Every structure is written in C-alpha cells, then in structure tokens.
Amino acid sequence: KITFQPLQVRYVSETQEVVLSSANPIYGYGEDNIYSYPSIFGTGTEMRLTFTPTMLKEEIILSDNSLLRDNQIQGSEGHLLIDYLVNISDNLTFMSSTGMLAPQLHEIHFFNATSLDDLSENVAILPQPFVTSNTSRQFIDYALTRTTEGLVMSLRVPVSFFEQAVYPAIIDPTIILNHTQILADGYVQN
C-alpha cells in the first residue's frame, strides 16, 4: 500500500524557509479517469490526477505566480517545495541509483528518480519529475525526509524557473505501476 497526502508548499533558500500554503481540505471531482482538485494550495493552483492501469500521472498546475507574489518571494534564489506525507507498507522500500533511501529523523535525501520495491520485486517507479510552461521545460528532483509527522516526500523546483515561465506552469511527477492496482482516488494496492 502506498498513499501520498498533500501537505504544503514551502519556499526554501539558504537564509529562510517559509510555508506559502497548506493543502486545503477540498473535495475533488472526476470525469472518466481524471480527478481534479481545484485550489488545493490556494487560488491559482490545481492538482490533476490521471489514472491508467499502469500509471498515476499527477500534474500540479500553477495558473500564475500568485503563490510566490502573495508571499513576497522575489528573485531567483531558492526552491519551491511541494510536500506530501507518504505512507507505505512495511514491506516497501524507496530505492535510488545509490541504494536504499531510509532517512533518519530530520535527515534529507535528494534524488531525481526512485523506485518502490518490496522483498522480491519492483512495485512502482517514480521517474525524474519535471516542470514545464509554454516556453520551457526543466527536470527537477525529489527530497525525502523523515519528520516527527512521518515520511515526507517533496518535489523541489528552482524558483528561477518561475521568473521566466509563461503560465500555466505544470509540475509533473508520475508513478509507473508494476503488478499493482489503483483502487480509488490515489490509493494504490499491491
């Protein structure tokens, strides 16, 4: 079992860390295999999930730069982090090209792709995510941290991307599933 619960959007630079928005407790709506969650992180944001038998495609859509502007984030330094609380079954492990990702409390691992493996097989692959707009595309990375709340996975986007973006900007993490099934609204069962 794997679940990802949206938590918040943060701005992090060398000198500061600011929570820009917590995830709103909203109901999504669906049509066919696409579920949308408007204003998940405030006005001008949307989360769109597309379910297929072998993939969960997520798009976090920023219709403009109000999330940064309203929080007085200017310049090109730092990163925007979109945080998710991750719950995985005890038999599953995040793996990267350097080995098992198992952070200790407050330890951070940065990586650009990962897989979820159980004792005998690969369950899912999370390829390197990217952010795109009408004028550019840039690969981004993940951060995995153990906090007092649990395991937190973050998408880490350089703020410099948003300076040049023609909106909407779309942040695209995808999960490719192996021998699993999506039961409902993002709940994945092995």
Side-chain angles (χ1 to χ4, degrees):
K1 176 177 99 167
I2 312 162
T3 62
F4 294 87
Q5 175 188 345
L7 288 178
Q8 61 194 6
V9 177
R10 296 180 289 140
Y11 168 74
V12 177
S13 71
E14 288 184 21
T15 59
Q16 67 177 339
E17 181 173 334
V18 179
V19 174
L20 304 180
S21 177
S22 295
N24 291 316
I26 61 167
Y27 289 99
Y29 62 90
E31 184 173 324
D32 298 324
N33 64 328
I34 300 172
Y35 289 85
S36 296
Y37 298 89
S39 301
I40 183 97
F41 295 113
T43 304
T45 66
E46 177 182 356
M47 181 181 294
R48 186 176 304 146
L49 303 172
T50 303
F51 299 95
T52 71
T54 60
M55 183 175 66
L56 172 61
K57 181 175 182 60
E58 178 178 352
E59 297 173 307
I60 301 157
I61 302 163
L62 305 177
S63 61
D64 57 35
N65 73 345
S66 61
L67 196 59
L68 295 169
R69 185 185 64 239
D70 292 352
N71 287 282
Q72 301 168 359
I73 304 299
Q74 299 173 340
S76 60
E77 298 298 316
H79 290 86
L80 190 72
L81 279 85
I82 302 168
D83 298 334
Y84 296 83
L85 185 61
V86 179
N87 291 300
I88 59 175
S89 300
D90 290 339
N91 65 324
L92 294 176
T93 304
F94 282 107
M95 300 295 289
S96 75
S97 60
T98 59
M100 185 170 69
L101 297 170
Q104 300 299 312
L105 187 63
H106 304 298
E107 183 181 36
I108 301 172
H109 292 269
F110 295 104
F111 53 96
N112 53 23
T114 187
S115 65
L116 269 169
D117 296 352
D118 70 11
L119 299 176
S120 63
E121 67 182 342
N122 172 261
V123 175
I125 298 169
L126 286 76
Q128 185 169 10
F130 60 89
V131 60
T132 186
S133 74
N134 288 337
T135 57
S136 60
R137 176 181 168 144
Q138 181 176 340
F139 285 101
I140 60 174
D141 59 8
Y142 291 104
L144 190 65
T145 310
R146 184 162 309 278
T147 69
T148 55
E149 292 180 299
L151 198 58
V152 174
M153 180 177 277
S154 305
L155 295 160
R156 195 170 73 135
V157 185
V159 170
S160 59
F161 179 87
F162 299 106
E163 277 193 326
Q164 62 197 359
V166 174
Y167 288 87
I170 300 171
I171 302 163
D172 189 338
T174 295
I175 301 173
I176 299 169
L177 306 171
N178 298 319
H179 313 292
T180 59
Q181 57 183 316
I182 297 175
L183 296 180
D185 198 16
Y187 178 85
V188 179
Q189 174 149 336
N190 183 6

